[in-house]
Amino acid sequence: MSVLTTEPNAAPAGEEPPDTGERHRLTAVTGLAALSLDAMASVAYGPEAIVLVLAAAGAHGLGFTMPVTLAIAALLVVLVASYRQVIAAFPDGGGSYAVAKTHLGARTGLVAAASLVLDYVLNVAVAVTAGVAALTSALPGLYDDRLWLCLAVLVLITAVNLRGIVESARAFIVPTVVFVGSIFVLIAVGLFRSGPVSTATADGHASVLADNATTVGALLLLKAFASGCAALTGVEAIANAVPSFRVPRARRAQRAEVALGAVLGVMLIGLSVLISRFHLQPVEGVTVLAQLADASLGHNWAFYVIQFATMILLALSANTSFGGLPVLLKLLARDNYAPHVFALKADRQVHRHGVLALALVSAALLVFSGGDTNTLVPLFAIGVFVGFTIAQVGMVRHWRLDKGPGWRGKTLLNGSGALLTGIAAVVVTVEKFQEGAWLIVIALPLLVVAFETVHRAYGRIGERLGLGRIPETPHRERSLVIVPVSSLSRLTSEALTAASSLGDEVRAVTVCYPDPEDWAALHALERSWAEWDPRVPLVGLVCERRGLGRPIAAYVREVAATEPAAQVTVLIPETEPERLWQRMLQNQRGAVVAHAVRRETDAVICRLRFRLP
């Protein structure tokens, strides 16, 4: 006799292995497409932010574009190295929230979480409005419809993400490849191009370069550095969404993080080199990236390919938030700081409630701003710098406690990063405070208070339920089930049958008002009841004032007072129509009774819905 053994969860011969959900998770390549669009798209406005600040010091100031960019690239290296370690130390995701909660305390962790939530929401709004602004710049006739265009783009991205993060990665991988490839071609051609530089994009536009300005102070350089650091937004998204990757999750996420840092760093430095080589100036109405494309490739079809790819990627860079925020909300829900519904997963490993919540809040921001990018930009990037700083400080403490090989060098690296990102956070907040950054200063602590309020509420619920404690031994108590009825029907029969299986005693109650018509109806019901004889007593409750819930609740209180040892249950029978629209035809008596009994008694409420055939 032979015995066939199989590994646990192994599929029988000839059958497919069970679906563990891995096929709905990200690889390193798809993770780069799904979670790095924000960072990739930032090269469209990061270098320009540096140039606009340095232009205040004239041509001499623009000469510092390359040093400032190199400082930002150095910070990028620090951040990538740090978040690579964060991924290894915290493979459940959460990024700066997970680091801060473990090493800096729960309150600091909530500050990091709140900053990430604000940044993710603002990223969606800024990305969508920036993409639509690029479209309306090319097609001015659509300008008046920009809000509806923004909402349409948001609906599209939300719909794609509701199908799963892998689906979103597949949908957005082509625009990402086209954009990155176009920027690399632009850099390569620009580095080797000789001859006169085209200035077609600047025709008819005024330069914003300051006249006769030559002084470049430390504050101006700090401001340029802080503004250019907007190009680093999105670097943390991969570390926040590690659970979205396939096994081995941490290793795949680390590869995606390093690849993001390498691609972003090359693009930033390459564009900065071209800015210096072509001696570009900021021009009103023309982006620096457009000037670089014109100077490198000429004003031809290649120029328009880059502009179109930039427009598409700016709009789709909102997808980074849809990959990172739902995972962060799941971790907050797991720790009882957010509603538990955010921890639920739908098919295809989708945190559907997190995706929908992000879409709704972002839609509200779009409506508030009217689809105008300039209204939202001052609020952007502050939160991410706060998260960067907290994560770096947390990793410093992590290395000091761990003291593994090379811990001193790693501590110095993260400490330097914390100092640089902290300076950037302060400078950006001060510079943009009057432009609307004060809203973030207010919203951040309010969001932390909201997290703590949710946590206290779950704590009270857990205390009342005795969570974490061994409960009393189950024992049998006498059970009394009260069933509200108004007439004889199949619903009444089904309800009494269900009640009889639940309790030791069943009583039917009906409410009557002291007028001749109601008295006649009560007597007719009592005669029909006696003729039917369901072996359940019918109790008539006379109510002087018109009402349905209160007399039943009063009767339940009376029964509980006279029979304190009995467990009282109120079973409310309701019908569930076949069609959704038919629910509007129901009288909602069940909801009225349930509300009154829940508010005025301690009875158990059972709303029993019977589906109509």
Side-chain angles (χ1 to χ4, degrees):
M1 181 178 68
S2 62
V3 179
L4 177 65
T5 61
T6 60
E7 291 294 327
N9 298 325
E15 295 185 12
E16 294 184 0
D19 184 7
T20 60
E22 289 300 302
R23 65 190 180 93
H24 297 302
R25 298 182 188 272
L26 299 170
T27 63
V29 175
T30 56
L32 196 61
L35 300 171
S36 68
L37 296 184
D38 179 18
M40 297 292 186
S42 65
V43 300
Y45 49 79
E48 182 163 8
I50 298 172
V51 170
L52 286 173
V53 173
L54 293 178
H60 182 60
L62 290 176
F64 286 86
T65 300
M66 191 64 192
V68 171
T69 303
L70 288 176
I72 293 172
L75 179 56
L76 173 63
V77 172
V78 172
L79 289 173
V80 169
S82 176
Y83 277 109
R84 190 173 181 276
Q85 298 300 327
V86 169
I87 290 168
F90 300 92
D92 289 335
S96 57
Y97 166 67
V99 175
K101 186 187 70 170
T102 303
H103 296 300
L104 302 176
R107 178 68 62 83
T108 307
L110 293 181
V111 173
S115 67
L116 286 173
V117 169
L118 292 173
D119 186 66
Y120 277 139
V121 172
L122 286 167
N123 173 59
V124 173
V126 169
V128 171
T129 55
V132 170
L135 175 63
T136 55
S137 296
L139 302 172
L142 297 176
Y143 183 79
D144 292 337
D145 298 320
R146 63 190 186 280
L147 175 58
W148 293 109
L149 291 171
C150 287
L151 293 175
V153 172
L154 179 62
V155 169
L156 172 65
I157 298 174
T158 303
V160 172
N161 277 275
L162 286 175
R163 291 186 56 81
I165 193 168
V166 170
E167 294 295 329
S168 72
R170 290 171 180 166
F172 302 148
I173 195 169
V174 172
T176 305
V177 170
V178 171
F179 176 79
V180 173
S182 300
I183 297 297
F184 281 163
V185 169
L186 183 155
I187 294 171
V189 173
L191 288 176
F192 295 101
R193 178 168 181 173
S194 59
V197 175
S198 171
T199 58
T201 56
D203 291 345
H205 296 275
S207 171
V208 297
L209 190 67
D211 295 329
N212 301 321
T214 58
T215 302
V216 180
L219 287 179
L220 185 67
L221 292 176
L222 277 177
K223 184 177 179 180
F225 173 80
S227 297
C229 278
L232 302 181
T233 58
V235 172
E236 80 291 347
I238 292 174
N240 292 336
V242 179
S244 298
F245 284 82
R246 294 181 185 176
V247 175
R249 309 195 199 289
R251 189 178 305 168
R252 291 182 187 273
Q254 285 178 323
R255 290 173 182 169
E257 186 74 46
V258 171
L260 169 60
V263 172
L264 181 57
V266 170
M267 289 195 295
L268 287 175
I269 294 174
L271 293 176
S272 179
V273 170
L274 293 187
I275 289 173
S276 300
R277 185 173 188 267
F278 295 142
H279 305 290
L280 292 186
Q281 310 174 4
V283 176
E284 187 177 357
V286 182
T287 66
V288 168
L289 186 60
Q291 292 186 66
L292 288 175
D294 196 11
S296 295
L297 305 173
H299 204 73
N300 50 33
W301 63 270
F303 168 82
Y304 288 103
V305 167
I306 288 183
Q307 292 304 102
F308 185 74
T310 303
M311 176 193 71
I312 295 295
L313 204 73
L314 278 170
L316 298 184
S317 63
N319 194 65
T320 298
S321 296
F322 283 95
L325 182 60
V327 176
L328 176 62
L329 290 177
K330 181 201 74 171
L331 295 178
L332 288 168
R334 185 193 64 186
D335 296 335
N336 294 330
Y337 289 110
H340 287 172
V341 70
F342 289 120
L344 300 179
K345 280 186 180 180
D347 295 337
R348 300 172 181 265
Q349 302 295 316
V350 179
H351 294 95
R352 182 169 295 166
H353 295 89
V355 170
L356 291 175
L358 175 58
L360 289 174
V361 176
S362 301
L365 271 178
L366 290 174
V367 172
F368 165 76
S369 67
D372 181 23
T373 308
N374 295 328
T375 305
L376 298 168
V377 167
L379 311 179
F380 188 49
I382 297 175
V384 75
F385 287 128
V386 173
F388 281 164
T389 305
I390 291 175
Q392 300 282 337
V393 173
M395 289 307 294
V396 168
R397 182 167 176 78
H398 172 77
W399 296 128
R400 295 188 64 181
L401 293 175
D402 181 67
K403 293 191 175 179
W407 70 273
R408 286 187 174 86
K410 295 174 181 176
T411 301
L412 179 62
L413 184 71
N414 291 132
S416 302
L419 179 63
L420 291 175
T421 55
I423 291 173
V426 172
V427 173
V428 172
T429 303
V430 172
E431 291 293 333
K432 298 183 177 180
F433 191 83
Q434 297 293 336
E435 301 176 40
W438 59 269
L439 285 172
I440 300 299
V441 176
I442 295 174
L444 194 62
L446 288 179
L447 199 53
V448 172
V449 170
F451 289 151
E452 292 181 330
T453 302
V454 172
H455 189 71
R456 285 194 297 270
Y458 276 126
R460 289 192 295 268
I461 294 171
E463 181 65 26
R464 292 172 184 174
L465 291 177
L467 296 179
R469 300 195 301 267
I470 299 177
E472 297 178 359
T473 304
H475 59 280
R476 180 174 177 78
E477 290 183 345
R478 179 173 176 273
S479 178
L480 170 61
V481 183
I482 297 173
V483 183
V485 299
S486 59
S487 61
L488 290 187
S489 66
R490 180 183 173 186
L491 179 63
T492 309
S493 176
E494 295 281 2
L496 295 181
T497 299
S500 298
S501 65
L502 292 175
D504 301 309
E505 180 184 353
V506 179
R507 297 180 194 173
V509 297
T510 186
V511 178
C512 175
Y513 309 107
D515 62 58
E517 185 177 346
D518 278 352
W519 280 118
L522 174 61
H523 293 324
L525 178 59
E526 289 175 337
R527 287 194 298 271
S528 300
W529 197 272
E531 182 180 351
W532 181 36
D533 189 19
R535 298 182 179 84
V536 172
L538 175 65
V539 180
L541 305 177
V542 180
C543 180
E544 297 292 334
R545 303 172 66 180
R546 290 278 172 177
L548 181 63
R550 287 187 175 180
I552 295 177
Y555 178 74
V556 171
R557 288 200 307 271
E558 180 183 338
V559 169
T562 56
E563 302 183 50
Q567 172 65 56
V568 180
T569 300
V570 179
L571 187 148
I572 304 172
E574 298 175 289
T575 58
E576 184 174 315
E578 181 182 6
R579 306 292 182 185
L580 182 63
W581 67 269
Q582 293 174 339
R583 296 184 183 182
M584 296 185 297
L585 306 179
Q586 294 179 292
N587 53 34
Q588 306 301 322
R589 289 181 178 178
V592 172
V593 174
H595 176 72
V597 173
R598 182 182 297 109
R599 184 181 58 187
E600 301 180 19
T601 76
D602 294 326
V604 176
I605 300 173
C606 177
R607 297 181 69 175
L608 201 59
R609 288 185 170 89
F610 296 94
R611 181 168 297 178
L612 297 178

